[in-house]
């Protein structure tokens, strides 16, 4: 029996496999099996590096030269003698790479496997490789592991909305809905609707930065709300690590939701090693939910010339005085409460 969370489960398996060997290859044990996949925790020998091995029934796996490499971990084809009949991908940590990030990425891949079984063998392999590439891109952008001041405020606002959602919905639903860190178009997805979070700590009008023509496009996602979170910097407020700690406490009873939260938090660019760098304290002075309607001022693909392929723009949320709702009403409209 493995420990309770995915992270603990994988870490325990790697500890059990720890050991030196001279012969090249893999040492692994099975940790989970789905209808068309098997996941094994392993170590690459003789380097003794942590790995996960994904076996998919009947999948076509690209040659090694076409598989993602770099940014601290490598993907390669693998042969597992006692697991015949499956195509195997091995994802392993390179020497000197951050072990904590690798553990969270491995747990994230497990989630991809569970969610993607319906896409078929080749689709499942493609989903795993796409998620690995997304992690590589995140690590490229992460730099020194410290969020910029604007990113700090943006994440604080998302966590404020996340904690508000926890007062209305089960932990696992809220954690799964937080898709912004996974490059989701909006921050919280409740199909077919969504909530996009905008946060400001500036005085004056609430000016929200809209990242694309699609972000407020209700022709694809509806109902759609913008959560406008206004902060003030005050010595009586919370730091970003304080906000993270509060949510960890809220999620502690649900270990699966807690694991999902940690993975998404890592993908957002927050690292516990940098927690001491976030010293600003914020308090929420306003949190409004604005319904995006057909007549809401915005730029979307249907109201700009076809020659305009992409755009980023600013929207004065204070100037949109109608279509505001409380969170309970929002969730009822979204069909989740």
């Amino acid at each position: 029996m493995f420990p309770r969370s995915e992270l603990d489960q994988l870490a325990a398996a790697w500890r059990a496999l720890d050991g030196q060997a001279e012969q090249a290859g893999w040492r692994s044990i099975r940790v989970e099996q789905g209808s068309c996949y098997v996941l094994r925790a392993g170590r690459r020998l003789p380097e003794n590096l942590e790995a996960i091995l994904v076996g998919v029934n009947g999948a076509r796996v690209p040659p090694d030269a076409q598989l993602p490499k770099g940014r601290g971990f490598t993907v390669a084809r693998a042969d597992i003698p006692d697991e015949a009949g499956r195509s195997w991908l091995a994802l392993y940590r390179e020497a000197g790479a951050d072990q904590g990030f690798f553990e969270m990425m491995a747990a994230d891949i497990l989630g991809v496997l569970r969610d993607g079984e319906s896409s078929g063998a080749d689709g499942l392999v493609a989903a795993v490789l796409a998620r690995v590439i997304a992690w590589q891109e995140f690590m490229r952008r992460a730099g020194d592991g410290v969020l910029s001041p604007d990113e700090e405020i943006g994440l604080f606002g998302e966590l404020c909305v996340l904690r508000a959602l926890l007062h209305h919905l089960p932990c696992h639903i809220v954690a799964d809905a937080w898709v912004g860190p996974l490059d989701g178009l909006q921050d919280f997805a409740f199909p077919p609707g969504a909530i996009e979070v905008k946060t400001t700590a500036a005085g004056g009008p609430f000016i929200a930065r809209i990242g694309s023509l699609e972000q407020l496009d209700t022709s694809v996602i509806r109902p759609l709300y913008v959560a406008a979170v206004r902060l003030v910097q005050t010595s009586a407020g919370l730091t970003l690590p304080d906000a993270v700690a509060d949510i960890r406490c809220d999620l502690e009873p649900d270990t699966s939701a807690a694991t999902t939260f940690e993975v998404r938090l890592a993908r957002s660019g927050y690292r516990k090693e940098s927690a001491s760098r976030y010293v600003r304290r914020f308090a929420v002075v306003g949190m409004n939910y604005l319904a995006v309607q057909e007549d809401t001022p915005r730029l979307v693909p249907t109201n700009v010339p076809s020659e305009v392929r992409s755009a980023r723009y600013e929207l004065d949320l204070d100037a949109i005085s109608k279509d505001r709702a409380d969170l309970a009403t929002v969730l009822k409209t979204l069909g989740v409460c």
Side-chain angles (χ1 to χ4, degrees):
M1 179 67 68
F2 288 100
R4 51 200 180 100
S5 75
E6 284 87 346
L7 290 174
D8 288 342
Q9 176 177 332
L10 291 168
W14 285 322
R15 286 194 300 270
L17 294 165
D18 194 10
Q20 299 300 315
E22 295 183 1
Q23 186 175 0
W26 303 97
R27 180 188 293 130
S28 67
I29 55 176
R30 183 181 293 197
V31 296
E32 180 162 307
Q33 179 170 358
S35 61
C36 69
Y37 73 86
V38 170
L39 180 75
R40 299 179 72 93
R43 286 188 176 270
R44 177 180 168 87
L45 306 175
E47 301 96 330
N48 198 35
L49 298 171
E50 295 91 345
I52 57 170
L53 298 103
V54 177
V56 182
N57 303 337
R60 292 170 293 182
V61 175
D64 280 343
Q66 298 178 17
L67 296 174
K69 294 178 175 61
R71 301 290 171 189
F73 49 89
T74 296
V75 181
R77 296 165 66 104
D79 293 318
I80 309 298
D82 56 348
E83 292 277 10
R86 296 186 177 91
S87 301
W88 286 89
L89 279 174
L91 173 64
Y92 64 91
R93 184 175 69 90
E94 297 174 355
D98 188 288
Q99 184 173 348
F101 264 123
F102 182 78
E103 290 176 357
M104 283 184 284
M105 182 175 64
D108 192 30
I109 295 298
L110 176 54
V112 171
L113 291 171
R114 291 171 175 169
D115 295 340
E117 284 196 281
S118 61
S119 61
D122 290 339
L124 193 56
V125 169
V128 168
L129 294 177
R131 187 56 60 87
V132 170
I133 291 170
W135 273 96
Q136 288 178 321
E137 175 61 18
F138 159 70
M139 293 176 77
R140 183 189 67 79
R141 299 194 311 260
D144 63 358
V146 180
L147 297 170
S148 71
D150 284 346
E151 290 170 335
E152 177 187 3
I153 288 172
L155 178 56
F156 193 101
E158 289 180 41
L159 296 182
C160 289
V161 173
L162 193 155
R163 196 163 193 214
L165 289 168
L166 288 172
H167 292 299
H168 296 268
L169 299 172
C171 295
H172 69 279
I173 292 178
V174 176
D176 289 342
W178 189 30
V179 297
L182 304 182
D183 298 322
L185 192 57
Q186 287 83 29
D187 293 306
F188 292 91
F190 298 100
I195 299 173
E196 170 63 16
V197 182
K198 298 300 180 185
T199 310
T200 185
F206 194 126
I207 306 301
R209 296 173 183 171
I210 311 302
S212 70
L213 294 173
E214 294 74 24
Q215 193 168 68
L216 299 185
D217 185 4
T218 53
S219 68
V220 178
I221 297 172
R222 180 184 295 180
L224 177 59
Y225 289 87
V226 174
V229 182
R230 187 182 288 275
L231 306 176
V232 63
Q233 193 168 337
T234 170
S235 60
L238 301 177
T239 64
L240 181 58
D242 291 336
V244 169
D246 283 349
I247 291 175
R248 283 174 172 158
C249 184
D250 290 341
L251 295 178
E252 188 175 9
D254 187 330
T255 55
S256 179
T259 297
T260 299
F261 172 73
E262 293 298 335
V263 169
R264 309 279 167 100
L265 186 65
R267 284 291 300 275
S268 74
Y270 181 89
R271 298 182 63 175
K272 62 181 180 181
E273 295 84 358
S274 304
S276 62
R277 303 281 293 274
Y278 303 112
V279 297
R280 294 189 295 175
R281 294 183 174 274
F282 301 103
V284 177
V285 293
M287 187 181 298
N288 294 308
Y289 296 88
L290 315 177
V292 181
Q293 307 284 12
E294 291 299 324
D295 59 350
T296 299
R298 64 217 157 105
L299 299 180
V300 295
T302 56
N303 68 10
V304 300
S306 59
E307 294 83 1
V308 178
R309 299 291 181 166
S310 65
R312 297 181 179 182
Y313 60 100
E314 294 184 343
L315 185 63
D316 185 350
L317 297 184
D318 283 342
I320 306 174
S321 58
K322 63 176 183 176
D323 299 323
R324 300 182 180 228
D326 59 31
L327 184 53
T329 301
V330 169
L331 294 176
K332 184 176 180 179
T333 305
L334 289 168
V336 290
C337 191

